[in-house]
Amino acid sequence: MNPYSNINFFEFFHILFKRLTGQISLTHLASDEIQILVLIAISVATGLLGTFLTLRKMTMLANSLSHTTLLGIVICFVLTVQTTLDLNIPLLIAASIISAMLTIVLTEGVRRFFKLQEDASIGLVFTTLFALGILLVTLYTRSSHIGVEVITGNVDALDRSDISHAFLVALIIIISTLFSYRPWSLTAFDPQLATSSGLKVNRYHYLQMLLTALTLVVSIRAVGVLLVLAFLVGPTLIARHYCQRLHTLLLTTVCIGIFFSLIGVALSRHFLTTTHIPLSTGGLIVTLLSLAYFLSARI
């Protein structure tokens, strides 16, 4: 039985605290606790990457990656289900990363060949690939819920394997940030100085895009392609109102993401208990992030 059934917002945190402090057995994770752990890992990964992407004004490209990974996911789903009747998670990740890399290459190629501005090239490529993904969803997955889950996310469907995947990606992002902190910082604040200093700017750019694609793939199952951008951008935009140094900005961004993830899971349980309406946890978190940004901007 789920220990969080039929409880309100404050009772949720009371039970969570008791379980974390060992007053109640934590041998079997409840679905709400799985959601919290996955969302914490996603908050860490998206917070660290999102800070640099926001500073580099590359959120539009990140948005395009979050949408075009749908194409790789659907193709992988169709191929694996038709051949093995099972969805191969490593193959799913590989297909999504390939589609993300294809997005980057096509965006740059269209920009140079047709001499378009970067934002126009991004808009053209990602809408085309996303539309193709939607067409494949409607053609080949009508009897499956993959279309809805990929687009909007479904935290209730998360299991223990999602925890290991999310924390593995978060660990990769942490290690990459530690080793690439100086070049990422320099390219974010002064790309011309980074180039003149001999840094391989393109190398670090593609590393960020690869890590972004990896993070998006892991995040999609929880929050979907339409909401994951808010996790990349929202906490950073809020934290920028209060932080002057980059390392403080990174830490604050991660903490904001974790805080609103906890609040979102608790509110989702609260509304289910009081109104019997199953609201989207990802939708609640994104709504809270948006409200927090507007409030912080006014203060």
Side-chain angles (χ1 to χ4, degrees):
M1 179 179 176
N2 192 332
Y4 300 96
S5 299
N6 300 317
I7 62 172
N8 60 33
F9 180 80
F10 295 103
E11 290 173 339
F12 179 91
F13 287 103
H14 177 68
I15 293 177
L16 179 62
F17 178 77
K18 291 177 68 175
R19 286 171 65 82
L20 290 177
T21 55
Q23 299 180 44
I24 301 178
S25 175
L26 196 61
T27 54
H28 299 288
L29 290 174
S31 62
D32 298 72
E33 292 162 351
I34 292 176
Q35 294 172 25
I36 288 173
L37 289 173
V38 171
L39 289 171
I40 286 175
I42 290 174
S43 297
V44 173
T46 55
L48 294 175
L49 280 176
T51 298
F52 290 105
L53 292 175
T54 302
L55 292 175
R56 295 185 63 191
K57 298 179 175 61
M58 294 181 61
T59 54
M60 183 64 176
L61 182 56
N63 182 38
S64 70
L65 292 181
S66 69
H67 286 69
T68 55
T69 49
L70 174 66
L71 178 61
I73 290 173
V74 175
I75 291 175
C76 180
F77 178 83
V78 172
L79 292 178
T80 55
V81 168
Q82 288 183 350
T83 57
T84 65
L85 299 179
D86 188 23
L87 193 58
N88 189 305
I89 298 299
L91 184 59
L92 177 68
I93 294 175
S96 302
I97 291 176
I98 290 173
S99 66
M101 292 298 102
L102 177 64
T103 303
I104 297 172
V105 173
L106 286 178
T107 299
E108 184 65 17
V110 168
R111 184 184 69 83
R112 292 186 178 184
F113 185 80
F114 294 101
K115 301 187 185 305
L116 295 175
Q117 292 183 347
E118 186 176 17
D119 57 346
S121 176
I122 291 173
L124 179 62
V125 170
F126 104 75
T127 52
T128 301
L129 295 181
F130 184 59
L132 182 58
I134 294 294
L135 287 176
L136 291 178
V137 167
T138 57
L139 284 173
Y140 296 106
T141 65
R142 291 181 179 179
S143 61
S144 173
H145 57 277
I146 183 176
V148 176
E149 286 199 0
V150 167
I151 294 173
T152 63
N154 184 8
V155 293
D156 292 322
L158 298 175
D159 53 37
R160 288 177 176 269
S161 64
D162 292 294
I163 299 176
S164 58
H165 293 148
F167 272 89
L168 176 60
V169 171
L171 180 60
I172 292 173
I173 301 301
I174 292 172
I175 294 174
S176 300
T177 303
L178 290 175
F179 280 95
S180 305
Y181 182 82
R182 181 180 177 277
W184 281 0
S185 304
L186 198 55
T187 53
F189 291 106
D190 197 336
Q192 292 183 346
L193 177 60
T195 303
S196 61
S197 300
L199 286 177
K200 303 295 184 180
V201 176
N202 287 336
R203 179 183 301 174
Y204 289 103
H205 169 75
Y206 286 118
L207 174 61
Q208 277 187 341
M209 292 301 98
L210 177 63
L211 294 174
T212 301
L214 182 62
T215 302
L216 292 173
V217 172
V218 174
S219 305
I220 279 172
R221 183 164 159 82
V223 296
V225 298
L226 297 181
L227 299 179
V228 68
L229 183 65
F231 281 78
L232 281 167
V233 178
T236 302
L237 294 179
I238 297 171
R240 287 182 67 177
H241 288 108
Y242 309 102
C243 302
Q244 301 297 326
R245 296 182 178 275
L246 180 57
H247 64 275
T248 307
L249 179 63
L250 289 168
L251 180 60
T252 305
T253 297
V254 170
C255 290
I256 289 174
I258 293 174
F259 173 77
F260 283 107
S261 294
L262 289 170
I263 298 298
V265 174
L267 276 179
S268 179
R269 174 60 63 179
H270 174 82
F271 284 120
L272 183 61
T273 299
T274 58
T275 66
H276 304 289
I277 299 176
L279 296 179
S280 166
T281 303
L284 282 171
I285 296 172
V286 172
T287 301
L288 291 172
L289 285 171
S290 299
L291 291 174
Y293 171 74
F294 291 126
L295 289 174
S296 65
R298 297 288 296 179
I299 296 176

